[in-house]
Amino acid sequence: MRLDKFLVECGIGSRREVKKLISDKLVTVNGNIAISPKENIDENIDEIKYKGKQLEYKEFRYYILNKKAGYITAIEDPRDKTVMELLPEWVIKKDLAPVGRLDKDTEGLLLLTNDGQLNHRLLSPKSHVEKTYYAELETEIGENEILKLEEGVDIGGYITMPAKAEKIDSQKILLTIKEGKFHQVKKMLEAVNNKVIYLKRVKFGKLELNSLELGEVKEIKIDDIV
Ligand code: URA
């Protein structure tokens, strides 16, 4: 692979920017200052360093973000702040996209990847990845409503698939669903005459927020996901 392509793929900068970094002598290949962006390197063997830091080439990258409220799940938007603005500098943004969507006011676990195939697979209606949400409710919820949520409710002409609902206290629940219809959790609670006043996704497949702070990002491995 050409050195400039490698550096771009590692998220160091655009083609033009990495060319400049090479001419500024900031890139080394096996200990020697790189001269030309056209130089061919073997990404599996050669040791490429930028400002003395070894670069690791990974075709696909996976990150989890503990999304803050107030950000929309989009790559760019003319009006709103997007989740991409929550990502620190070390996250490689090239071709990165969120998997699925959390509402602007929803917090919690959002997976982001440049692996388009995986993104597509996880979003497919056939994928049935379990997602668990913690929801605080406007009014108390009864056992009967919990049962209804589990069996399936009508959210505007669509009957939701069987789900798991667990009451934490009179106005707090954990709801695990295997699908991802638009505003699904909010609509499910409306279907049982309640209202979500706070929503946070705490689990997505095998992924859990654990100690990830609000707004924090962590790189993960594909095997961690499902
Ligand atoms: N369900 C919702 O209603 N909102 C979300 O953000 C996610 C699931």
Side-chain angles (χ1 to χ4, degrees):
M1 176 187 305
R2 272 174 59 139
L3 178 62
D4 55 357
K5 181 169 191 304
F6 172 85
L7 295 169
V8 173
E9 294 286 321
C10 285
I12 301 304
S14 65
R15 273 265 163 131
R16 234 184 48 187
E17 285 162 347
V18 303
K19 225 172 138 180
K20 170 96 174 44
L21 299 175
I22 294 168
S23 64
D24 287 347
K25 302 187 169 42
L26 294 173
V27 179
T28 58
V29 178
N30 300 324
N32 304 312
I33 290 172
I35 311 286
S36 164
K38 292 186 196 154
E39 180 174 343
N40 264 312
I41 56 107
D42 183 334
E43 64 276 13
N44 298 311
I45 297 171
D46 294 325
E47 202 180 75
I48 321 291
K49 289 186 180 172
Y50 164 56
K51 287 188 182 168
K53 190 168 163 259
Q54 182 149 355
L55 299 174
E56 195 189 348
Y57 177 75
K58 285 185 224 152
E59 188 179 8
F60 297 122
R61 296 181 170 84
Y62 310 89
Y63 303 94
I64 57 169
L65 163 71
N66 186 351
K67 178 189 172 295
K68 286 183 183 174
Y71 292 79
I72 63 161
T73 310
I75 293 170
E76 49 186 9
D77 191 84
R79 274 177 303 122
D80 281 307
K81 291 182 287 184
T82 75
V83 289
M84 304 312 269
E85 293 168 52
L86 286 170
L87 305 176
E89 204 206 341
W90 58 265
V91 169
I92 297 168
K93 323 278 187 315
K94 188 172 181 280
D95 300 329
L96 196 67
V99 178
R101 191 197 323 227
L102 291 177
D103 295 337
K104 185 174 173 182
D105 59 351
T106 302
E107 292 181 355
L109 203 159
L110 186 68
L111 172 66
L112 297 114
T113 182
N114 63 338
D115 181 345
Q117 270 190 359
L118 179 87
N119 196 332
H120 199 256
R121 192 151 55 79
L122 293 175
L123 288 187
S124 141
K126 290 191 216 120
S127 96
H128 300 324
V129 177
E130 285 197 341
K131 292 136 222 150
T132 302
Y133 294 87
Y134 163 78
E136 294 182 3
L137 311 175
E138 193 173 67
T139 56
E140 292 190 4
I141 187 159
E143 285 308 324
N144 204 19
E145 283 67 45
I146 290 284
L147 269 180
K148 281 189 196 161
L149 291 174
E150 291 203 322
E151 283 168 2
V153 287
D154 186 341
I155 53 165
Y158 176 79
I159 309 291
T160 56
M161 284 172 56
K164 276 184 252 164
E166 188 190 327
K167 203 163 148 175
I168 300 173
D169 73 22
S170 62
Q171 284 174 235
K172 292 180 186 146
I173 61 164
L174 280 175
L175 183 62
T176 302
I177 56 175
K178 288 187 182 176
E179 44 197 344
K181 303 283 176 206
F182 191 52
H183 298 324
Q184 179 157 345
V185 176
K186 291 174 185 164
K187 286 182 183 166
M188 286 176 77
L189 270 300
E190 275 166 26
V192 294
N193 300 315
N194 212 318
K195 191 170 183 240
V196 171
I197 54 168
Y198 171 79
L199 190 61
K200 179 171 194 134
R201 182 154 68 190
V202 292
K203 223 174 151 196
F204 180 97
K206 289 196 294 186
L207 299 170
E208 292 192 57
L209 275 182
N210 294 326
S211 55
L212 202 64
E213 301 279 334
L214 201 58
E216 217 187 332
V217 182
K218 187 169 87 172
E219 185 165 8
I220 54 155
K221 298 193 188 78
I222 187 170
D223 299 337
D224 300 333
I225 303 172
V226 275

